[in-house]
Amino acid sequence: MARASLLFALLAVAATAVAGARAPGTATGPPLAAYGNASSVVRRRAVENGLGRTPQMGWNSWNHFFCQINEEIIRETADALINTGLAKLGYKYVNIDDCWAEPNRDYQGNMVPNKQSFPSGIKALADYVHAKGLKLGVYSDAGTQTCSLRMPGSLDHEEQDVKTFSSWGVDYLKYDNCNNGGRNVVERYTKMSNAIRKYGKNIFFSLCEWGDNNPATWAGGMGNSWRTTGDIADNWNSMTSRADQNDKWASYAGPGGWNDPDMLEVGNGGMTEAEYRSHFSIWALAKAPLLIGCDVRSMSQATKDIISNSEVIAVNQGKYYLPLTFPRYLLPMGFQCSQTTIFITDSLGVQGKKVQSSNGLEVWAGPLTGNRKAVVLWNRQGYQATITAYWSSVGLRASAAVTVRDLWAVSSLSSELFAFSNNALQVPEFITTISIFSCSTRHPPLRGKYLPRWRLMTAKMYILTPK
């Protein structure tokens, strides 16, 4: 089937959240107001290790390199995260996926780094990465071998392997689910979780169970993230289906533990720039881990622009972008710029979810602090259409008035670009937008229905805050 066209609008809306009547069309859940308070969300017990207070950010080797990895690539990737400024934006984890170890353990039963691809060893690599202010992750499996069949898994070696990882200075463990002999999944992951609690308290534990046994319902007390889907591929259908599969578990995510629809494919070449922008936007809305999956050493400027948008990242990381203007008399002598930016922490940490769906035209939304809302308008059909997000679905008062900040354009917008009516927000097809709305003295407030007019196949983000 031909690749569908995407309308994706992510709006961060600050307004009072009040449950309203269900919008026309097929709704998939209660109005967003029902999720507007972190305490009202159905949550699982979070593991108490102080990690994962926001979704993890970093890089993983698998989506681009698969098994073709070596220590030079890892070092150069760490360098690139620093040199491109990505590390300053929060991309801290440098994660080595499958194929880093020798096929067999040593005579003491320990895992051994592959002598050809990692001759200096993992500890030396961790030291290199740590010296740059980054963190190093490795991969293992809750089975006798990993999925590649090229290295041993950790089943029945959990404590021994965690001791080894800790001695090397490893900060992150991705734990897969291959070659498990049919043994009970909860028991296998519990054993590794207990080993990490005992011998690796600073190791971020990422369960990669593929969602087969509904890990969102039991993994919260074990680790800091859990896969809700099978492996992602670098194409439209795979990306969108992972978003759908992940959505059903939205109420289980939050500070300390996150749903994981798999790593980012942005920049690997299988989707268009607009589709990659949409991919990144919906992962941000869904509070998914932001783990870059491309070769950051040679990424295009377009790829860098997508994954380095600080205001979009702020939606994922629970921070509210707030530009401030200061009177010049308050500035130190010699300072010319009177504007700065601060980020206010969003303590809710609530995953955005689907709140409207009708014939492939969808609205996704999630609450932020201050009763702001993050809203996604998504056209899943292959034809031009208009999507309307009703205030009652996203948790806004019928009389709510908002002003607009465009996160992809990094600018505030004039109300002359919008038309409003019927207590709804409306966007035509092929526009990917993320918005956070904030109060403004430069433009009158916007009310009711939101109708931007931009060229097709673009990505926009806004912040909306009520007057």
Side-chain angles (χ1 to χ4, degrees), residues 287-310:
K287 305 288 187 181
L290 297 182
L291 295 174
I292 302 167
C294 69
D295 187 350
V296 294
R297 303 172 304 170
S298 58
M299 64 182 169
S300 68
Q301 186 60 47
T303 294
K304 181 183 176 184
D305 289 344
I306 292 171
I307 62 177
S308 64
N309 186 311
S310 61

Side-chain angles (χ1 to χ4, degrees), residues 69-110:
I69 54 172
N70 57 55
E71 62 183 42
E72 182 179 6
I73 290 173
I74 304 305
R75 287 197 186 97
E76 291 177 354
T77 295
D79 294 343
L81 291 176
I82 299 296
N83 296 337
T84 59
L86 290 171
K88 288 184 177 180
L89 293 171
Y91 294 99
K92 297 294 188 182
Y93 287 104
V94 181
N95 293 340
I96 311 168
D97 211 282
D98 203 349
C99 309
W100 60 266
E102 287 286 325
N104 299 306
R105 296 173 178 270
D106 66 15
Y107 73 97
Q108 294 180 316
N110 296 314

Side-chain angles (χ1 to χ4, degrees), residues 23-45:
T26 303
T28 62
L32 188 62
Y35 304 100
N37 207 311
S39 62
S40 70
V41 179
V42 177
R43 292 292 309 282
R44 75 289 171 276
R45 180 172 60 90

Side-chain angles (χ1 to χ4, degrees), residues 3 10 41 58 67 69 102 116 148 160 177 196 206 303 335 346 381 463:
R3 180 178 296 153
L10 174 54
V41 179
C67 276
I69 54 172
E102 287 286 325
Q116 290 187 334
S148 69
Q160 182 174 15
N177 193 34
I196 289 175
S206 173
T303 294
F335 277 69
D346 166 24
Q381 299 287 2
I463 291 191

Side-chain angles (χ1 to χ4, degrees), residues 83-84 142-143 160 178 190 204 209 214 238 261 269 389 411 415 429 449:
N83 296 337
T84 59
Q160 182 174 15
C178 290
T190 297
F204 187 109
E209 186 271 350
N214 304 333
S238 178
S411 65
S415 61
E429 192 223 3
K449 182 169 68 178

Side-chain angles (χ1 to χ4, degrees), residues 1 126 191 357 396 451:
M1 184 178 70
K191 288 180 69 176
S357 180
L396 289 172
L451 181 60

